[in-house]
Amino acid sequence: NKRGRDGHRQLPFFVQDQSQHSTSTVNRSALLLRETDLIAQAIESVGLRTSLLDQSSADASVLKALRATSIEVAEELASQGYYSLALGLAKTVYDKRNGARPKGRDLFISAVAYIILRHVVPTAIRCSRPTPTNACEGSEWETRIDEKDIMRPTLAQIHSSVENIDPRIQTAPSNCTDGWKSQDKQLTSAHGAACMDLLRTYTTTYANSTNKLAVDVADTLLDLDNCMATLPIWLTDLLCGTSSGCFADVAKETSESDAADPTALVKLYMKHGLYAQACKVVARALDKTGKEGSSAARRLPEEGQIDFVPYSTIDQLWNIIESAAPGMQPDEKCGVMQARADMEVALEEHMKRIRISEDGLVSARALK
């Protein structure tokens, strides 16, 4: 009936020894960490250390930093320009929650969107085009931005972030110059070009059919720049896509890596009053099947091979232009009306292909 130090009744030696060995084995097993756990702890430690040692956080409280959650540390790292570390920390949180989607939102993609929309896009706009190409001389857009006013991210941080995504990507060199500009403006231009490279890398890497990252980037670019400059060509191409199904993908060509959403781009342009660009997107989407020749006649709707066209959105665009045209400037009105005429031609050609497709469906089903 003797009891040990733990208060339990002692057992015979061989039983007690076996019990202690079993208990110690269980305890040791519970303390073992998987490789993913070790990596997660390492990323958290490096992220916290980097944030505390950064010069921009000289007044930061160590105790407050130690009590901060992983999300708070990631936000601080993003504000300091350490985007790769911030995304790595966000990925560990995502993995710990086993890919859970609270309120239907992907935690990792939300972190990517936060970094792009909160930090990368504003810096890219301020640096790459402090004066948009279509701004009038002497206007409010004539601003001067010094390199010293844009502390984060540094060029080294931008290059590092791009290389961590894909080492094969070459960012804009830091010594790129425009001979007639001052040294400060040359450095600012280099900074802006590098930020645009980073923006392109993040967007093309993480945008896909399961999220609206590309649309959000386009919306933020237009909103922050007050529509004074057009969207980058690579972003327009990404949203317009290369599918042969008009505004929708053909079933066999659909993949999660495809971020194309022409309908969303049209609505986005309409939201910002860019009606000519919206008409061009519609015409471009409708011309896809025209370039494919007779491919429309070989598709079977029952197999998910469709040519989706948002006719209601196109009608709305047409009516908005009709109402807004009288209040436009002559040059603007001429451009918008020409773009609408091109869209009308594309619609007429699309209707002709539909009639051909209806005749071809009978033969296509027979051949099946």
Side-chain angles (χ1 to χ4, degrees):
N1 295 328
K2 293 183 179 180
R3 297 183 178 274
R5 294 180 180 179
D6 56 359
H8 297 290
R9 185 170 59 86
Q10 291 184 345
L11 299 176
F13 174 77
F14 69 96
V15 178
Q16 180 182 356
D17 181 72
Q18 183 178 2
S19 175
Q20 289 178 350
H21 181 270
S22 175
T23 303
S24 62
T25 302
V26 172
N27 292 337
R28 285 198 302 270
S29 300
L31 295 176
L32 292 178
L33 296 175
R34 297 173 300 173
E35 181 181 2
T36 54
D37 298 327
L38 293 173
I39 293 175
Q41 287 189 1
I43 293 175
E44 292 174 356
S45 300
V46 171
L48 184 60
R49 180 179 182 275
T50 302
S51 177
L52 287 173
L53 294 180
D54 191 271
Q55 294 181 355
S56 64
S57 60
D59 299 331
S61 170
V62 176
L63 184 59
K64 182 179 178 181
L66 292 175
R67 292 175 177 175
T69 64
S70 297
I71 297 298
E72 292 172 342
V73 174
E75 291 178 354
E76 182 66 21
L77 287 170
S79 66
Q80 295 170 344
Y82 300 104
Y83 300 146
S84 296
L85 270 177
L87 290 180
L89 199 54
K91 187 65 167 62
T92 62
V93 175
Y94 176 81
D95 292 338
K96 283 182 179 179
R97 299 185 183 182
N98 298 320
R101 291 172 175 259
K103 297 182 180 180
R105 298 181 61 186
D106 187 305
L107 292 176
F108 180 70
I109 295 300
S110 295
V112 174
Y114 173 83
I115 290 176
I116 292 177
L117 306 181
R118 181 71 178 272
H119 299 287
V120 181
V121 172
T123 304
I125 290 177
R126 290 201 311 268
C127 298
S128 63
R129 50 175 187 260
T131 303
T133 56
N134 59 350
C136 299
E137 185 177 357
S139 68
E140 60 179 339
W141 295 98
E142 288 286 351
T143 57
R144 183 175 182 273
I145 302 176
D146 294 331
E147 176 69 14
K148 63 182 180 181
D149 296 329
I150 306 170
M151 301 301 295
R152 298 301 170 91
T154 63
L155 282 172
Q157 288 176 324
I158 295 173
H159 294 161
S160 176
S161 298
V162 173
E163 290 174 358
N164 285 334
I165 295 294
D166 190 347
R168 297 170 297 179
I169 299 176
Q170 297 294 326
T171 56
S174 58
N175 60 346
C176 62
T177 60
D178 292 322
W180 57 273
K181 290 184 178 181
S182 65
Q183 184 177 5
D184 287 341
K185 287 193 174 182
Q186 290 176 9
L187 291 174
T188 301
S189 297
H191 203 153
C195 273
M196 275 297 180
D197 288 336
L198 179 60
L199 176 62
R200 177 177 182 173
T201 301
Y202 276 160
T203 306
T204 54
T205 300
Y206 296 113
N208 55 47
S209 59
T210 64
N211 59 61
K212 297 294 183 182
L213 182 60
V215 177
D216 291 339
V217 169
D219 191 14
T220 305
L221 282 170
L222 292 173
D223 187 49
L224 293 182
D225 204 23
N226 201 24
C227 301
M228 294 296 291
T230 58
L231 292 176
I233 295 176
W234 61 264
L235 183 56
T236 303
D237 291 342
L238 181 66
L239 285 170
C240 287
T242 57
S243 68
S244 57
C246 287
F247 285 80
D249 286 326
V250 177
K252 296 181 180 179
E253 298 174 1
T254 302
S255 64
E256 288 191 356
S257 61
D258 187 7
D261 194 347
T263 305
L265 183 57
V266 171
K267 293 180 179 179
L268 185 62
Y269 278 141
M270 292 169 59
K271 169 187 171 183
H272 290 279
L274 302 174
Y275 306 124
Q277 287 85 337
C279 291
K280 291 177 181 178
V281 173
V282 173
R284 176 175 175 174
L286 294 175
D287 284 343
K288 290 177 185 176
T289 51
K291 295 178 180 179
E292 294 292 330
S294 61
S295 60
R298 298 196 301 268
R299 294 180 187 164
L300 299 178
E302 55 265 32
E303 294 184 2
Q305 300 170 345
I306 61 173
D307 285 336
F308 169 71
V309 178
Y311 294 110
S312 59
T313 302
I314 296 175
D315 288 340
Q316 184 181 8
L317 174 60
W318 184 283
N319 295 331
I320 290 176
I321 293 176
E322 195 71 25
S323 300
M328 296 180 181
Q329 296 296 326
D331 292 343
E332 180 187 4
K333 181 177 180 180
C334 180
V336 171
M337 299 308 291
Q338 180 60 49
R340 193 178 75 165
D342 294 339
M343 180 180 70
E344 183 178 6
V345 172
L347 279 168
E348 291 175 352
E349 293 296 325
H350 172 69
M351 293 301 176
K352 292 179 181 178
R353 289 192 295 271
I354 286 181
R355 287 193 290 270
I356 297 174
S357 179
E358 290 174 351
D359 294 336
L361 282 178
V362 177
S363 299
R365 290 191 177 100
L367 292 174
K368 280 291 183 178

